Amino acid sequence: MHISSAHWRRGAAALFLAGVACAGHAQYTQYGQFGTTGGARGHRNGEAQADGPAPPRTISRWEQVSRRLYDLRVQLQITREQGPAWDNFRGRFLDMATSGPSDPRIVDEQTAKDAFQFLLVDAQRRSNVLATLDATAQALLAQFSPEQIQLADRALPPLLAEFGGSR
C-alpha cells in the first residue's frame, strides 16, 4: 500500500494539532484557566495582586459535558465529513444533559392536579428532547466506520448513563 506524501503530511499535521490541543487542554485543566498559575493576578486598577493561588473554579455541568464530548470526538476521530452530524448530535446531547425541570414551582402552592400536570408536561418535554437526541445520534451513527461504531458502543452507554438520567 502506497501512502502519498500529501496523505502523510495531512496525517502528521492532524497528529500535531491533536497533541497541541491535548497539551492546551491539560494546561487548562491543571491551572483552571489557560496559562494562569495563580500568584500575581490583575486588579481592577491594573495593579498586580500577589496573594497566592486563585481558588479553584467550579466547573459547570455544561462545561463538564462539553469536555467529555470533546474527548469522545477525538477518540472517535470524527472526520470533516462527519463534522456537521457530530455538531448536531453534540448540541442535542448538551440540551439533554443540561436541561432541568421546565418550570420549578413551589410545591406548597400547587394543587394535586397541578402537581401531576407539571410532572406530565415535564416528562413530555424530556421525551421530546430525547427523541431529538436519538434522531441525531442515528444520523451520526449511520456515517460511522465499523471501528467508530465499536468505539461508540463502548463509550456512549456510560456517557448516557452519567448525563442522561433525570435530574
Side-chain angles (χ1 to χ4, degrees):
M1 179 169 147
H2 174 69
I3 299 176
S4 72
S5 62
H7 283 106
W8 186 88
R9 281 193 305 263
R10 200 174 309 144
L15 285 174
F16 172 75
L17 290 174
V20 169
C22 289
H25 179 71
Q27 187 175 8
Y28 180 87
T29 303
Q30 179 180 0
Y31 296 120
Q33 52 182 311
F34 195 80
T36 301
T37 59
R41 293 190 311 268
H43 197 267
R44 243 186 318 177
N45 61 8
E47 298 173 10
Q49 182 181 11
D51 59 354
R57 186 174 73 84
T58 303
I59 298 172
S60 71
R61 184 169 178 88
W62 188 93
E63 290 172 307
Q64 186 181 21
V65 175
S66 186
R67 287 179 183 180
R68 293 283 299 277
L69 289 172
Y70 174 80
D71 292 343
L72 180 60
R73 180 185 179 130
V74 171
Q75 181 183 1
L76 291 171
Q77 299 178 359
I78 299 296
T79 65
R80 179 178 295 136
E81 295 78 21
Q82 295 167 335
W86 171 263
D87 291 341
N88 196 14
F89 168 77
R90 179 184 176 277
R92 297 306 68 80
F93 195 98
L94 282 165
D95 288 346
M96 179 269 310
T98 59
S99 66
S102 61
D103 183 22
R105 297 181 186 176
I106 300 172
V107 176
D108 294 337
E109 295 180 11
Q110 288 184 344
T111 64
K113 183 178 178 180
D114 290 341
F116 283 109
Q117 187 63 36
F118 169 76
L119 288 175
L120 178 62
V121 168
D122 191 56
Q124 290 169 335
R125 179 194 57 82
R126 188 146 173 82
S127 176
N128 292 337
V129 168
L130 290 171
T132 303
L133 174 61
D134 179 60
T136 60
Q138 296 308 318
L140 177 63
L141 292 170
Q143 296 181 23
F144 278 1
S145 69
E147 295 81 18
Q148 287 174 308
I149 292 286
Q150 288 178 341
L151 288 169
D153 285 345
R154 286 193 302 267
L156 280 173
L159 197 63
L160 285 167
E162 183 176 351
F163 294 110
S166 62
R167 272 150 297 291

